[in-house]
Amino acid sequence: VDGTALSPELELHPGTNQLLGGINLPYDVHAAAEFTPSEADAALKDTDFVTDVVEFVLTDTCNSLSAPVAKVFGGKSGTAAQFGDTVSGVVSIIETCASCLASADPATGQLKGPCVRSCAECNSTAAVCERHQRLGLKEHHSLLRPCDACLEA
């Protein structure tokens, strides 16, 4: 994870005619043009500007290969709990298996079901539990086995 500070600013997106640069934006330019000065001041005071970007990069254990996998834009109003939720969300997407990604709805990107590989019993005992043994698993570590949806298919 690598963070970079950004200068707060608004920018007009030429394709959509929307003002970008705030967490609670975009405003349509035509709607913003009709703001009274006091409405414009209030809108800007209420805007949580994007002031930082966090880039998530996957790196191999030898630190010889790396690839950026996500960028998350944030403002000053974020909390540690929100950042933790963001990290958890990025990690869950990264850990989704290729089969579950391929079966996602092409229009929305929504997965058909959860892609779960971890098992509390397997993790706590560091051995394959009875249920997963019946399904033919040989490895207890979640990264070395298929997800439950792929096992049951």
Side-chain angles (χ1 to χ4, degrees):
V1 177
D2 184 24
T4 303
L6 301 174
S7 298
E9 63 181 47
L10 294 176
E11 185 174 319
L12 176 66
H13 186 283
T16 63
N17 280 337
Q18 292 182 327
L19 292 172
L20 307 174
I23 303 296
N24 55 343
L25 291 177
Y27 287 123
D28 183 272
V29 171
H30 300 296
E34 296 183 18
F35 283 176
T36 65
S38 61
E39 289 173 329
D41 285 345
L44 288 174
K45 285 178 185 172
D46 291 341
T47 298
D48 183 12
F49 286 96
V50 173
T51 55
D52 57 40
V53 59
V54 177
E55 184 173 36
F56 292 81
V57 179
L58 287 181
T59 305
D60 68 341
T61 55
C62 299
N63 206 19
S64 60
L65 299 173
S66 63
V69 294
K71 284 186 182 178
V72 178
F73 297 90
K76 294 184 184 211
S77 66
T79 64
Q82 289 171 327
F83 184 72
D85 291 343
T86 299
V87 171
S88 295
V90 170
V91 169
S92 70
I93 292 168
I94 292 169
E95 289 183 343
T96 301
C97 73
S99 179
C100 287
L101 287 174
S103 68
D105 182 330
T108 64
Q110 290 291 326
L111 298 177
K112 292 184 179 174
C115 183
V116 178
R117 288 191 293 239
S118 63
C119 167
E121 187 177 345
C122 292
N123 289 341
S124 66
T125 62
V128 180
C129 70
E130 200 173 301
R131 175 180 163 255
H132 284 116
Q133 283 178 0
R134 286 193 303 271
L135 291 171
L137 287 181
K138 307 263 187 252
E139 292 288 340
H140 76 279
H141 197 285
S142 62
L143 295 178
L144 300 175
R145 61 197 230 178
C147 73
D148 290 344
C150 292
L151 278 174
E152 295 167 3

